[in-house]
Every structure is written in structure tokens, then in C-alpha cells.
């Protein structure tokens, strides 16, 4: 059997060993960050200790050893290097730790995420109209702080007193890619999915130009199901694209390039914004827009973050997942219906 591959708790993509993808697609997967929680103590910040207990017939979920007021706690992010077999080397301290697992009866607990996924989390939080720097969160609310995202992911961790957990489940299976969660990352098993996951979601070359290549000419008097014939609506569509409030994942859109494009003719901005707001553009096979895979991957990860809800999956109680997921039937990119999209009873 090959090694056990570890997967990011935000995007579901693999961690690759440093130096294996230099100047190649997937290089961004070689840069993890570890999240842990600390609290204020007399001599400075101290790591929160987590514990596991054996119940009547099964392991109970992880819990804090000595809870303190949430106002005294924060999430600490540390750069690290992936070693393999669920071990990470913290860059600053040189300490080697596992992710998603309490060592012994009690220890610090670390969540493993890609550095660029952490950046996307910060971008998402900065786009929220209000932020709440607390761990408490309603099961109906979107996350508005790193603390709240920690709490959501913490409730997804498969609890166990032995062995390691190599991945953390997601209500949509990270939009299908957990079917590729094998003992070792092998993107050739599904090249389309593998290429999309490995595409850098932050550094997207020619992002603005690629989006504008999808513009269609505005034809007065011709109305589609998605667009209006009103010139004022086209102006509103243009302003939505420029303001980015409805498309916050396009924070790096070059406004000057967009303004220059506007001056070159009458364009159907409303239709473009409508397509960019589509629910399926993260899929690499989507044909509504021509987009680079990095931007599709960004949209997929952004959806994973905005879908996060407290209690959105049932904890796995008992033996941990050993890096495997049950292959999905149907379209690779389909998953469970996230709690955020389920009807309210």
C-alpha cells in the first residue's frame, strides 16, 4: 500500500511535498499552513489542549480540556512543510505535528490548509458586510471570521482515539473531488478534475482579458431569458462587474481594462454578469463561459467557504477515515446538497 495522502480541509486538494512541483502546475499545493487555537495566559499565548474520550461503545468527539472564554482565544496560522503520512513540520518552531488528530489522550489540534486557501478565506471574510470575531455561529449563518470557520471545520473532524484522519469531509465532497482522495494523489485517474484542482486559484494569468473575451455585443430589441433590452440594465450590469459586490471572488479584476473595453462598443454586460453568477461555472466542462482552470478552481473553493455551516455534516464517530472516500456515482462534480441550500422546514 502506498503512503496515506493528506487533503486540505478548505479545498479538498492534496498536500504535495516541497520541491516536487517547482515552476509546474500544482506548485501551490506544496505550501501548507496549519491552524490551531491558542488562549491568553499569564506568560503569553498558550496552545489550547484538546482531548478524546472513549464512550460506552465508541469514541466521543474531540473537546477542549480546559475551556476559557472565547474572547481570550484566537486562531493561530503557521507556515509549515508537508512531510507525508499526515506529518507537518512547523517552519518557525521546527516541531513536527499531525493534522486533524489529537495525540495521546490530549494535545494541541491542528487543521491543515493550503496557504492560498487561507488567503481565499481572508478574501471571503473581507467581502462580508459584517464580521464577528467569535467562535459562536448559528447553524444557518455564513462564516464571518476565521474563528467561525475553525468551529465549522472542527465539527467535521472524524473523532477517534487511535490512528490518523487524512481528510475532513465536506457536505458537497468539495464539489466532487473526494472521489480522487486515494492513498496517494494521482490526478491521471481523472485528468480533467486533476488539472482543475492543481490550477493556482490566486495567480490567474490574464484574468480580466479572459473574462472579457466572453462579452457579446448588445443588440437592442432582442431579449433573452437572462437579459434585458434596456440600456440602463446594461449600465447596471457593467457597474456590478466594476463594483464586484455581487462577484467578490473577482477582487483582482482590472477596472482600467474593463473601462477601456466599454469604450470599444455596445456590449451585453448584463449577460456576462449573469453567466459569471451561474452556479456551475466552477466545473471545467462548463460551456457557458470560456474561463481558465485557475479561475474555475477559485470559484469552487469560494463555494466551499460560502457553503460552510455549523453542523453541516454529521461527525464520523469511530475509526478514522484512512485517506479513502467512496467513489461517487454520476457527475464527478456533484455532491451532497449543502446545508446552505437545503429548504427550511
Amino acid at each position: 500500500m502506498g503512503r496515506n495522502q493528506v487533503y486540505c480541509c478548505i479545498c479538498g486538494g492534496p498536500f504535495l511535498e516541497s520541491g516536487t512541483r517547482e515552476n509546474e502546475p500544482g506548485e501551490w499545493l506544496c505550501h501548507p499552513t496549519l491552524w490551531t487555537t491558542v488562549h491568553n495566559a499569564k506568560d503569553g499565548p498558550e496552545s489550547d489542549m484538546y482531548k478524546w474520550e472513549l464512550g460506552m461503545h465508541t469514541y466521543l468527539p474531540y473537546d477542549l480540556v480546559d475551556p476559557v472564554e472565547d474572547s481570550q482565544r484566537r486562531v493561530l496560522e503557521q507556515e509549515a512543510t508537508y512531510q507525508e503520512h499526515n506529518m507537518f513540520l512547523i517552519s518557525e518552531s521546527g516541531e513536527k505535528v499531525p493534522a486533524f488528530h489529537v495525540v495521546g489522550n490530549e494535545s494541541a489540534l491542528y487543521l491543515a490548509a493550503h496557504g492560498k486557501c487561507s488567503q481565499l478565506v481572508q478574501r471571503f471574510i473581507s467581502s462580508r458586510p459584517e464580521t464577528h470575531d467569535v467562535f459562536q455561529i448559528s447553524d444557518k449563518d455564513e462564516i464571518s471570521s476565521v474563528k467561525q470557520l475553525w468551529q465549522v471545520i472542527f465539527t467535521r473532524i472524524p473523532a477517534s482515539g487511535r490512528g490518523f484522519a487524512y481528510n475532513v469531509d465536506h457536505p458537497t465532497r468539495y464539489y466532487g473531488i473526494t472521489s480522487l482522495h486515494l492513498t496517494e494523489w494521482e490526478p491521471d485517474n481523472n485528468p480533467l478534475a486533476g488539472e482543475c484542482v492543481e490550477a493556482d486559484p490566486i495567480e490567474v494569468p490574464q484574468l480580466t482579458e479572459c473574462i472579457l473575451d466572453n462579452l457579446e455585443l448588445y443588440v437592442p430589441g432582442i431579449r433573452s431569458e437572462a437579459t434585458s433590452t434596456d440600456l440602463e440594465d446594461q449600465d447596471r450590469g457593467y457597474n456590478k462587474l466594476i463594483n464586484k459586490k455581487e462577484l467578490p471572488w473577482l477582487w483582482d479584476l482590472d477596472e482600467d481594462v474593463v473601462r477601456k473595453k466599454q469604450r470599444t462598443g455596445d456590449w451585453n454586460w448584463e449577460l456576462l454578469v449573469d453567466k459569471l453568477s451561474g452556479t456551475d461555472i466552477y466545473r471545467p466542462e462548463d460551456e457557458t463561459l470560456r474561463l481558465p482552470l485557475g479561475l474555475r478552481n477559485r470559484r469552487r473553493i469560494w463555494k466551499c467557504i460560502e457553503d460552510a455551516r455549523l453542523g453541516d455534516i454529521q461527525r464520523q464517530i469511530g475509526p478514522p477515515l484512512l485517506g479513502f472516500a467512496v467513489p461517487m456515482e454520476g457527475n464527478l462534480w456533484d455532491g451532497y446538497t449543502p446545508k446552505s441550500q437545503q429548504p427550511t422546514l
Side-chain angles (χ1 to χ4, degrees), residues 257-301:
V257 173
V258 176
R259 290 190 179 95
K260 289 179 182 177
K261 184 68 174 181
Q262 185 196 36
R263 293 194 289 266
T264 63
D266 293 329
W267 300 103
N268 197 330
W269 297 99
E270 187 189 13
L271 179 60
L272 177 62
V273 170
D274 183 75
K275 288 183 177 181
L276 287 169
S277 302
T279 58
D280 291 333
I281 64 169
Y282 68 91
R283 300 173 184 257
E285 73 273 19
D286 173 69
E287 296 182 352
T288 59
L289 290 168
R290 299 178 301 279
L291 297 175
L293 288 180
L295 193 56
R296 294 191 188 277
N297 197 27
R298 177 192 295 187
R299 187 67 185 100
R300 180 186 67 84
I301 299 170

Side-chain angles (χ1 to χ4, degrees), residues 53-237:
E53 296 179 359
L54 186 62
M56 184 73 71
H57 301 292
T58 186
Y59 296 107
L60 300 177
Y62 295 140
D63 201 0
L64 282 167
V65 174
D66 295 310
V68 298
E69 292 184 9
D70 279 359
S71 61
Q72 301 300 309
R73 299 174 62 215
R74 63 185 174 90
V75 176
L76 176 66
E77 298 183 32
Q78 300 169 288
E79 292 184 2
T81 304
Y82 172 55
Q83 302 288 285
E84 75 173 6
H85 297 295
N86 197 6
M87 298 303 294
F88 293 80
L89 182 69
I90 299 176
S91 302
E92 184 174 350
S93 67
E95 183 181 5
K96 188 178 288 188
V97 298
F100 317 131
H101 179 64
V102 169
V103 180
N105 289 334
E106 64 179 60
S107 71
L109 179 63
Y110 295 90
L111 304 182
H114 299 112
K116 292 196 174 183
C117 289
S118 293
Q119 292 180 41
L120 284 174
V121 170
Q122 294 294 348
R123 288 284 182 182
F124 177 82
I125 291 170
S126 66
S127 74
R128 295 299 311 278
E130 294 183 3
T131 58
H132 304 280
D133 191 30
V134 295
F135 287 92
Q136 295 87 2
I137 180 175
S138 163
D139 62 1
K140 298 179 177 61
D141 292 336
E142 292 184 8
I143 64 108
S144 66
S145 67
V146 173
K147 287 182 178 180
Q148 290 183 339
L149 184 57
W150 166 279
Q151 195 67 18
V152 169
I153 296 175
F154 175 68
T155 65
R156 298 173 179 168
I157 297 175
S160 176
R162 68 174 186 268
F164 295 114
Y166 293 90
N167 57 9
V168 175
D169 203 1
H170 184 277
T172 66
R173 294 182 174 180
Y174 300 100
Y175 287 97
I177 73 166
T178 54
S179 60
L180 301 180
H181 281 192
L182 307 173
T183 56
E184 189 166 357
W185 176 245
E186 297 175 357
D188 290 344
N189 290 341
N190 190 304
L192 187 62
E195 288 180 17
C196 188
V197 172
E198 292 189 352
D200 190 322
I202 299 291
E203 304 296 330
V204 182
Q206 302 295 308
L207 178 146
T208 305
E209 289 79 4
C210 290
I211 289 174
L212 295 182
D213 281 346
N214 292 277
L215 267 173
E216 299 179 17
L217 285 171
Y218 168 70
V219 181
I222 298 181
R223 180 187 179 91
S224 68
E225 293 182 0
T227 63
S228 168
T229 60
D230 192 337
L231 278 173
E232 291 185 1
D233 288 339
Q234 298 307 321
D235 289 339
R236 280 194 290 270

